[in-house]
Amino acid sequence: MSSALSSSPTRNEFEQQPLIKLDSNENPFGPSPRALEAIENAVGMSNLYPDDDCRPLRLKLAAHHGLPPEQVLVTAGSTAMLALLCQTLLGPGLNAVTSERSFIVYSMAVHATGAQLIEAPMRDDTCDLGAILNAIDANTRIVFLANPNNPTGTMVTAEAVEWFIAQVPAHLVVVLDEAYYEFASHFAMLRRVNYSNSLDYVARGASVVVLRTFSKAHGLAGLRVGYGLGPSELLGYCSRMRNTYSVPSVAQAAAIEALEDTGYTAQVAESNALQARFLAGQLEAMGYRVAPTSANFLYCDTGEDAAGFAGRLREEGVAVRPLGAWGAPSCIRVTIGTREQNEIFARALRRVGVAHDRRGPAAMRFGG
Ligand SMILES: Cc1ncc(COP(=O)(O)O)c(C=O)c1O
C-alpha cells in the first residue's frame, strides 16, 4: 500500500508518549465487548484454516440485510472487494470513473489492472454527480461513489443517488461505498435528510454493488473484514478471484457478534456526532473552516502547507492526515476521537495554531 495509506507508529519519537492516532478513521473505542469475547473464544482454534466461504457470517449478513446469501460476498476488508471488482471488470483500455479527492484505494485498485481512473471535479467539497456522469465514456466499466466521501466527509442524499443511478448506462457497475454507513445514518437522522436506499437497488438486481465494512463503527479494522452486496452473478465471478482462506476465523467470529451488538454501534455513532460538533467548534474558534461531515472524521483547510502543520501536531503527540496526496495540499483530515483525545488535540492545536493566527485572516480562508 502507498505511504498515503500507511498507519503511523503508536508512539511519538520526541517524548515517548502514546501518540493520539487521529489519522486513519479508526474507531477510538475499540471493538464491542461482544466482539472481544468472540475473539477470545475463537483464537484458540487458530491452528485450523478458516471457513473459506465465511458461511455463518455470510448467512447472518444476508438475513440482516434481507437479501439472498448469493448476493453477499465477505472479503478481507472492503478494499479487497474493491480490488476483486476491478480485476473482474477492468483491464488495459478500460476505465473507471470517480470523484476527485476521493478514496485513494480506487486509484490503486484500478491502476493495478492496467485500466485508467478518471476523476470528476467536486463541487463544494462534495461529489458532483452530474460531473461524474459527464466523465463516463465508452470505455467506462465502473463508477465509484464513496458516500460519505473520504477524505472530505460530505454525503450525497438518497434522492440524488436515486437520480444518478437512473442516469448511469445500465451496462456499468455502480459501486456505492458505504464504509461510514452507521455514522452517516445517524447524522442523517439528526439532520432529517435521507441518507441511503442502496439496499433497494441490490434487492431489485440493479447493476449496483454496495460496500460495507467492519473496520469503522464496529471497530475491527485490524481484523480485516468487509463485504459487498450486489448481483449474484457478478459476486460469483469476484468470489472465484478471491485468495483462499483470506478472512481469518477470528475476524469472522468477531464480525458475527459485532453485527449483533447494535447497541454498541449506536453508542459509537452517537458519541461521534457529539464529538464532531466539539471538534469542529474547536477548529472554527481558531478561524479554520471545516466541511460538514457525515463520517467519523473532519476535513479542514489549514490555510498553509498541511504536511508541515501535521508535522507540528505530531510533535505535540497527535497524528492527523495531511492531504497533499489527494490534491489538497493545505488540508488535513482529523479522525473524531473520544472526548479526551479531542481535548488533547484541541490543546495541541492551540499551540500549533499560533503560527496560523499570526498569518492573518486572508490566510485563513477555506480553500486558500
Ligand atoms: C471510503 C472507504 N471505503 C473503504 C474503506 C476501507 O475499509 P476496509 O478497512 O474495510 O478495507 C475506507 C477506509 O478508510 C474508506 O474510507
Side-chain angles (χ1 to χ4, degrees), residues 77-79 103 106 146 150 177 179-180 213 215-216 224:
S78 54
T79 41
F103 187 37
Y106 302 151
N150 175 10
D177 184 343
Y180 303 95
T213 182
S215 297
K216 305 298 175 182
R224 310 306 302 127

Side-chain angles (χ1 to χ4, degrees), residues 320-333:
V320 302
R321 183 76 53 164
L323 298 173
W326 282 256
S330 63
C331 294
I332 56 167
R333 191 192 64 199

Side-chain angles (χ1 to χ4, degrees), residues 50 55 134 273:
R55 194 168 165 75
N134 287 339

Side-chain angles (χ1 to χ4, degrees), residues 8 22 31 63 66 72 81 88 131 140 157 160 168 174 185 213 223 247 296 319 324 337:
S8 327
L22 303 179
V72 181
M81 184 72 210
T88 306
T140 305
T157 62
V168 174
V174 177
S185 304
T213 182
L223 290 185
V247 184
N296 68 341

Side-chain angles (χ1 to χ4, degrees), residues 22 47 73 109 126 156 260 291-292 307 319 324:
L22 303 179
N47 54 314
L73 185 63
T126 304
V156 286
E260 298 253 309

